[in-house]
Amino acid sequence: MKEKNFHYHYMPLVQSQRGMKVTMNVNINKLIALNELLTLSSRRKHKIVLNPYEDYGNEEKIDEENSDVVLDKTEWKIPDKIRMVVDALIKNNQLSNEDKILAIFDELCKTYIYDDNVLSYIQKVDGEDYDLPDWYGREIDPDWQKNREKHNRRVCYEVSRYLAQALGELFEDNNEFASCIFWDKGRTHYFVGLAGDDYKLTLDLDDFDNIKDLTRIKTGLTIEGINILDDQEGKFKRALDHFNENRNKYAIKKIEDEIEEEDPNENKDEAKIVSLKKSDDIIFLENALEILTKKFNIDSQGLFEYIKEIVDIKIGPEARKKVWKKLEGKYSEETRYIRCLVLELENQTYIVDVDEKILRPFNEKELFDKNTNFIPFKKFSRDWGEYYDGT
């Protein structure tokens, strides 16, 4: 988009979630410059997404068909549990801006988990491009919002709005910053952009290419979903490095460290007898499941990603494949599907049932039993008419 299509600053009066009129600074040019950096870095073009319930001026209308800047389909709101954190950070004069950004990111990662049921609706369009029904988190109604309040599962559309709105309010009186959501339409993915005078970032709580930070932070791993596109003085990098200090980057190393820290008074002789009946890989995976569930209380989606990465590194990706597990709801619109892992280890088949949080022997005939809840991964996708109500 050409810069002349927008005024340098829009400063409309809007109703904030704190119930008072505030003047919002939205520096469109900063966001366009950030998007240009992102395009070069990712080699993919993105849309800049703005809150539809703010006034961006009447002089220039956003042409959503031909513009790199579009209005979101849903109002950006901050949940009450995050609202308390944001309000406290706004009043805090001791923390730096960088530490406040990281504090919000950290709190969101600790509070929410990824709703992998959404993946059962994904349809491949072409190459790396995919599609999803808009009603799954992007264009939602009051019933969906009410149902989502019953649990902490969220998709990228939802957590990105929380983060973008939180950053917008944190810096609403600071002309140094401008925040937005970026939309990778081909990958049906939202994440957040923040353009400051000293640095430019993207912030992605459920990054495609790693164990999601929604899981990583809960187990004390490093943040990997913040991409620093420009930081000439290293200001944000220093803050991020400090946050990541003493955190492990690799899931498998984290589990190894946790195993080493186990109770030294454990009955080693008994453990040795048990270990004679199992391979080292099986024992390691069982220990990982126990640590992730009992110490960190990781959800089924987090277990899937954690164990998948461990298997890929320790054994090799050829040893595993994905299967769906159906979780029946009280009503059909409450039914969900999650992913589990089938492993081939030493000529025996096992399943990591992340719903039951166990590793057990598995007979693939279960996939074809009429009463089974397991479904071959490539033989299943949900019709978009099979509505899920967000419960």
Side-chain angles (χ1 to χ4, degrees):
M1 173 174 295
K2 295 181 180 179
E3 187 172 302
K4 67 180 182 180
N5 288 340
F6 290 96
H7 295 288
Y8 189 75
H9 280 95
Y10 289 136
M11 301 180 65
L13 291 177
V14 299
Q15 185 72 32
S16 81
Q17 292 186 64
R18 292 192 294 279
M20 56 183 289
K21 293 284 185 178
V22 295
T23 300
M24 300 292 289
N25 293 323
V26 181
N27 191 324
I28 300 292
N29 289 344
K30 274 189 175 182
L31 298 178
I32 291 173
L34 174 61
N35 196 16
E36 290 173 352
L37 283 177
L38 173 61
T39 299
L40 291 174
S41 174
S42 65
R43 297 176 178 84
R44 291 180 67 89
K45 195 169 185 64
H46 298 77
K47 296 279 190 181
I48 296 169
V49 182
L50 302 175
N51 190 343
Y53 280 76
E54 291 178 3
D55 181 8
Y56 294 99
N58 295 320
E59 298 89 344
E60 300 285 352
K61 298 295 185 181
I62 295 176
D63 179 1
E64 298 203 24
E65 293 298 321
N66 302 302
S67 174
D68 291 339
V69 183
V70 299
L71 299 179
D72 204 355
K73 295 293 185 179
T74 299
E75 181 181 6
W76 298 359
K77 294 181 179 179
I78 304 177
D80 291 342
K81 61 183 71 175
I82 304 301
R83 159 68 54 213
M84 297 174 60
V85 175
V86 174
D87 286 347
L89 288 171
I90 289 173
K91 297 174 184 176
N92 190 316
N93 295 320
Q94 303 302 313
L95 289 177
S96 68
N97 289 332
E98 297 73 50
D99 288 336
K100 290 180 180 181
I101 294 166
L102 291 168
I104 294 173
F105 191 92
D106 177 63
E107 186 65 27
L108 286 168
C109 288
K110 289 177 177 176
T111 302
Y112 295 102
I113 63 178
Y114 184 69
D115 177 12
D116 60 341
N117 176 61
V118 68
L119 301 176
S120 65
Y121 284 100
I122 283 185
Q123 296 181 1
K124 192 169 187 177
V125 178
D126 183 39
E128 296 182 355
D129 289 343
Y130 299 86
D131 206 359
L132 270 174
D134 275 348
W135 55 258
Y136 207 123
R138 184 164 181 265
E139 188 171 2
I140 57 178
D141 58 28
D143 287 339
W144 176 280
Q145 291 179 313
K146 184 177 180 180
N147 288 336
R148 299 306 263 181
E149 292 173 1
K150 300 174 184 176
H151 56 77
N152 66 339
R153 298 187 303 274
R154 299 293 186 272
V155 295
C156 63
Y157 302 132
E158 296 165 307
V159 292
S160 292
R161 291 185 186 114
Y162 301 163
L163 179 55
Q165 182 65 18
L167 293 176
E169 293 191 17
L170 182 65
F171 299 123
E172 67 186 7
D173 297 322
N174 188 336
N175 293 336
E176 178 184 341
F177 293 96
S179 60
C180 69
I181 287 173
F182 283 119
W183 181 22
D184 186 334
K185 189 174 182 180
R187 292 182 176 175
T188 66
H189 188 53
Y190 271 18
F191 56 98
V192 174
L194 182 67
D197 289 345
D198 295 326
Y199 43 81
K200 296 177 176 63
L201 321 168
T202 61
L203 305 97
D204 194 346
L205 294 92
D206 60 320
D207 178 22
F208 275 71
D209 299 320
N210 293 282
I211 294 177
K212 294 171 175 47
D213 283 351
L214 290 169
T215 295
R216 297 180 63 85
I217 296 302
K218 294 181 181 73
T219 60
L221 294 178
T222 54
I223 287 177
E224 294 297 320
I226 296 181
N227 185 18
I228 302 174
L229 298 173
D230 183 40
D231 186 7
Q232 296 295 320
E233 303 298 324
K235 192 173 183 180
F236 193 87
K237 183 180 184 303
R238 286 191 294 273
L240 182 58
D241 287 346
H242 180 71
F243 181 95
N244 284 335
E245 192 174 346
N246 299 321
R247 291 171 176 261
N248 212 310
K249 181 175 181 177
Y250 302 103
I252 192 168
K253 294 297 184 183
K254 176 65 177 178
I255 296 300
E256 289 174 351
D257 291 345
E258 291 291 336
I259 291 173
E260 289 181 4
E261 293 176 7
E262 283 186 347
D263 186 357
N265 296 319
E266 178 188 7
N267 189 327
K268 301 297 183 181
D269 292 335
E270 181 179 342
K272 186 175 181 180
I273 293 172
V274 172
S275 70
L276 291 174
K277 303 176 182 178
K278 300 179 180 179
S279 70
D280 289 342
D281 290 337
I282 293 294
I283 293 171
F284 189 88
L285 291 172
E286 288 179 337
N287 284 332
L289 280 169
E290 183 175 5
I291 289 166
L292 291 169
T293 55
K294 293 184 177 179
K295 181 169 184 177
F296 297 113
N297 193 30
I298 294 301
D299 59 284
S300 61
Q301 146 66 23
L303 286 177
F304 173 87
E305 286 196 331
Y306 227 101
I307 299 300
K308 174 177 170 290
E309 181 172 300
I310 289 173
V311 169
D312 285 0
I313 293 173
K314 191 172 181 64
I315 306 167
E318 68 278 1
R320 52 89 179 165
K321 62 182 178 182
K322 296 175 284 187
V323 295
W324 292 106
K325 184 175 183 180
K326 182 179 183 180
L327 304 180
E328 294 274 7
K330 184 177 180 180
Y331 304 102
S332 61
E333 59 266 27
E334 296 177 354
T335 295
R336 297 190 295 119
Y337 292 83
I338 62 173
R339 298 164 300 165
C340 295
L341 284 169
V342 172
L343 309 178
E344 295 294 335
L345 301 174
E346 298 186 353
N347 299 317
Q348 187 168 349
T349 305
Y350 296 84
I351 190 168
V352 182
D353 185 335
V354 296
D355 174 43
E356 298 291 338
K357 301 181 179 181
I358 58 172
L359 171 69
R360 65 168 176 84
F362 182 71
N363 188 330
E364 294 205 35
K365 291 182 180 179
E366 290 185 47
L367 293 172
F368 306 100
D369 188 308
K370 65 178 181 179
N371 296 317
T372 188
N373 286 329
F374 294 106
I375 306 168
F377 195 81
K378 292 183 179 180
K379 293 187 177 182
F380 174 76
S381 64
R382 297 175 84 170
D383 187 276
W384 288 7
E386 185 184 348
Y387 182 67
Y388 167 66
D389 66 6
T391 301

